[in-house]
Amino acid sequence: MTGEDILLGIALTVALATGSQILANKLRVPALIVLLPVGFAAGALTDVIHPARLVGPDFPALVSLSVAVILYDAGLGLNLRNLTGRTRSVVVRLLIIGILVTFFAVAGIGPALFGIPLRVAAMIGVILVVSGPTVVGPLLEYVRPTDKLRRILIWEGTLTDPIGGILGAIVFHAVATSHRIDIGRGYQIGQFLLSMGVGLAGGAVATVVLWLALHKLRLGETLGTLAQLATVILVSALCDVVRDDTGLIAAIVTGLAITNLPGMDMPARRPFLETLVQMIIGLLFISISSAVTPASVVPVLVPSLILIAVLVLLIRPFVAYAAARGSDLTVGEWGFIGWMAPRGIVAASTASAFSATLVEKGLPGASKILPITFLVIVGTVLLYALSAAPVARKLEVVRSARTRPLLVGGAPWVIGLGQALKTAGLDVLMWAGLDEERERITSAGIELAHGEMLATATNPRARLEGVTAVFLLTDDDDFNALASVVVKDNVQGPVYRVGPPRDSHGVVAPYTGGDILFGRALVRQRLAARYERGARFHVQPGSTPVPPDHDILFVVRADGRLAPVTATQTVTPLPGDTAVVMGSV
């Protein structure tokens, strides 16, 4: 390729990756649904984005390092405190049973479906055992299942990726060197354990390095993010040099350790690292799908559809049922787990890397590995994306649309507001720092959040589960302003703060953006003063006229959604709604 072709190929790949993800976001569908067909079409229409021509034989190495960064970021989101008891046992059984059943089933039916040797079918089977957080996560955000289901599926999807990568490398070497598959020998089990050991050792080294860099040196956001990227890439590369695909284990172990070590002073890594991960995902899928030609897809199209049906209708429900036995999962919960197993980036990357080498070695049927994997990825993602939401509603595992607010503050007027929202039918949660305020909250009959909740909410890697709206109502305006910025990315819903006084000389509060509760007129001091003079919060039907001396603060819609009045938004109660107003007794 000429220099102009390389520049055009890079620019086109970046543009397609970015444009596809923007389009997917606007359509509210997983990005893979757009990325894969766009890459496939671009590969059929032009040669400039084909990875074999644009990058050359080094493309698999770049894919491996890119996936390591993705898995490190996924590992940062795995909090061990959320994986306890029976939830942990379900995840472990999903991993073990799912990997074994999927591998042997695909390897068993592959030769009959595709007319390929058993060793090639085994290679496809081990590639398809993985799922992945890059596709499961967006699907779950769209479907909104219960927190328990979300934890189980995210943990399963994240942990199957490195394990599947290791197994894929072992099966690949067995097939490539001996031209037969014999993973039952103790030798292959030893190879797996050795690979796991290398990955765990690499993860331990990376964890120590990042602990020194982030905890001792206290690097800021920019340097801290650079240190994380450099460490993960370096250690993953060294592990891959020692043992193929062990870098994936090292990457996810590092992410898990960093996010769960006590006392880690992690920088606010989200903005840059998440942007980088999104770009990597887009570039990989565009590049890999462009390598799949229409001529390679047509011969395996019908058998691949049969394989997808077997995976979706037989294998996954059986795995979910076997994993859920003896657990506290309801029928609806294990049924939804049985309807959620899309394939993602690791399946695509391993198929791209292994198939090219096996084709070069002249293994019969190896050229079918990539198009079969491509079709399974497209088919499973498309099927689950279109059906997951109605299935979740049918099984009654969707989180309720009813808002569960967290009120932060313990002043008397805040407690009175919490009681009014509770009277309006909401499940109210409150948090306060002082013991006397916490006692007043408990005496008022409102549920008190545990002491670590706000610390969890301000952790840049944490997720505040069970809360769908946060209202910051403390007497410290600067705290409210800062917390509104930190907490907003960790709550499945909006974050609001009460307004500071107009003449406030606070360090942060007057200058921080964000939606202000109740507008600039009803600021914190005025609310507290009116409450002290005898004004109270009242709950009335939405169809009842609001008295002239009363102010509408909230409207609880008929379906339980809470709509607050803000500086930029007025709310009108409708028949069937409930209004929360403030006025004289």
Side-chain angles (χ1 to χ4, degrees), residues 102-473:
T102 303
F103 170 71
F104 285 109
V106 175
I109 66 175
L113 277 178
F114 302 102
I116 54 179
L118 177 60
R119 52 187 180 272
V120 175
M123 193 74 254
I124 296 173
V126 78
I127 288 171
L128 295 181
V129 301
V130 300
S131 179
T134 58
V135 59
V136 173
L139 279 174
L140 296 181
E141 291 296 330
Y142 173 69
V143 176
R144 299 178 68 251
T146 61
D147 288 329
K148 181 197 294 186
L149 285 178
R150 183 187 177 278
R151 286 195 297 267
I152 291 173
L153 292 169
I154 287 292
W155 273 89
E156 180 206 10
T158 303
L159 295 180
T160 53
D161 278 356
I163 296 174
I166 291 293
L167 292 174
I170 293 173
V171 173
F172 167 75
H173 286 297
V175 170
T177 56
S178 63
H179 298 291
R180 60 193 176 91
I181 181 67
D182 186 12
I183 65 168
R185 296 181 299 165
Y187 170 77
Q188 297 296 348
I189 297 176
Q191 293 296 303
F192 174 76
L193 296 177
L194 181 59
S195 296
M196 289 291 295
V198 172
L200 292 173
V205 171
T207 301
V208 172
V209 171
L210 288 180
W211 183 83
L212 293 173
L214 302 177
H215 186 68
K216 292 299 184 181
L217 299 181
R218 296 189 178 277
L219 301 179
E221 177 181 347
T222 302
L223 292 179
T225 303
L226 289 176
Q228 293 175 74
L229 288 173
T231 302
V232 171
I233 291 174
L234 176 61
V235 171
S236 298
L238 292 177
C239 288
D240 283 341
V241 169
V242 177
R243 297 281 299 179
D244 287 343
D245 285 327
T246 54
L248 302 183
I249 290 287
I252 197 168
V253 166
T254 305
L256 265 169
I258 290 299
T259 201
N260 288 284
L261 277 178
M264 278 299 298
D265 186 17
M266 288 290 293
R269 56 161 192 91
R270 287 295 183 188
F272 177 75
L273 191 56
E274 288 188 351
T275 302
L276 178 64
V277 168
Q278 285 297 109
M279 178 58 71
I280 289 174
I281 291 171
L283 295 177
L284 287 181
F285 274 115
I286 291 292
S287 300
I288 292 172
S289 57
S290 69
V292 182
T293 63
S296 65
V297 168
V298 173
V300 298
L301 178 58
V302 175
S304 295
L305 294 177
I306 298 175
L307 176 60
I308 293 170
V310 172
L311 289 171
V312 171
L313 300 178
L314 297 179
I315 295 177
R316 180 62 181 184
F318 172 78
V319 170
Y321 174 74
R325 289 193 64 186
S327 70
D328 59 351
L329 294 177
T330 65
V331 174
E333 288 172 337
W334 79 254
F336 184 75
I337 293 174
W339 195 256
M340 185 56 62
R343 271 58 182 180
I345 185 63
V346 174
S349 61
T350 52
S352 175
F354 296 150
S355 65
T357 304
L358 294 178
V359 169
E360 290 178 0
K361 290 181 175 291
L363 184 65
S367 61
K368 297 182 179 181
I369 294 177
L370 185 56
I372 292 172
T373 305
F374 174 81
L375 289 173
V376 171
I377 293 173
V378 173
T380 54
V381 171
L382 186 61
L383 177 63
Y384 290 127
L386 295 176
S387 63
V391 167
R393 288 193 294 268
K394 183 70 174 178
L395 296 175
E396 298 181 348
V397 294
V398 180
R399 281 199 314 271
S400 172
R402 182 174 294 274
T403 300
R404 192 188 190 202
L406 168 63
L407 275 59
V408 180
W413 73 270
V414 179
I415 297 175
L417 180 60
Q419 289 177 309
L421 292 174
K422 185 176 179 181
T423 303
L426 297 181
D427 183 12
V428 179
L429 192 64
M430 291 191 67
W431 185 92
L434 299 179
D435 289 338
E436 57 268 26
E437 293 178 338
R438 298 172 69 85
E439 290 176 2
R440 286 201 299 263
I441 292 172
T442 304
S443 300
I446 301 175
E447 182 180 353
L448 184 65
H450 58 76
E452 296 181 350
M453 173 162 283
L454 205 62
T456 300
T458 55
N459 185 333
R461 301 170 315 282
R463 181 187 183 90
L464 192 59
E465 296 184 342
V467 173
T468 56
V470 175
F471 300 92
L472 299 161
L473 310 171

Side-chain angles (χ1 to χ4, degrees), residues 9-93:
I10 294 174
L12 184 59
T13 304
V14 172
L16 290 176
T18 305
S20 297
Q21 294 189 81
I22 292 175
L23 178 60
N25 178 265
K26 295 301 181 182
L27 296 176
R28 298 188 64 194
V29 298
L32 267 66
I33 292 181
V34 181
L35 284 167
L36 291 175
V38 167
F40 178 75
L45 298 174
T46 178
D47 290 332
V48 294
I49 68 170
H50 195 287
R53 292 172 55 84
L54 188 61
V55 181
D58 298 325
F59 181 66
L62 293 177
V63 170
S64 179
L65 293 179
S66 299
V67 174
V69 174
I70 294 173
L71 291 183
Y72 169 73
D73 181 69
L76 288 174
L78 299 179
N79 194 322
L80 290 175
R81 288 181 299 180
N82 295 331
L83 190 68
T84 57
R86 295 184 177 180
T87 301
R88 183 193 297 119
S89 65
V90 171
V91 172
V92 171
R93 280 183 285 182

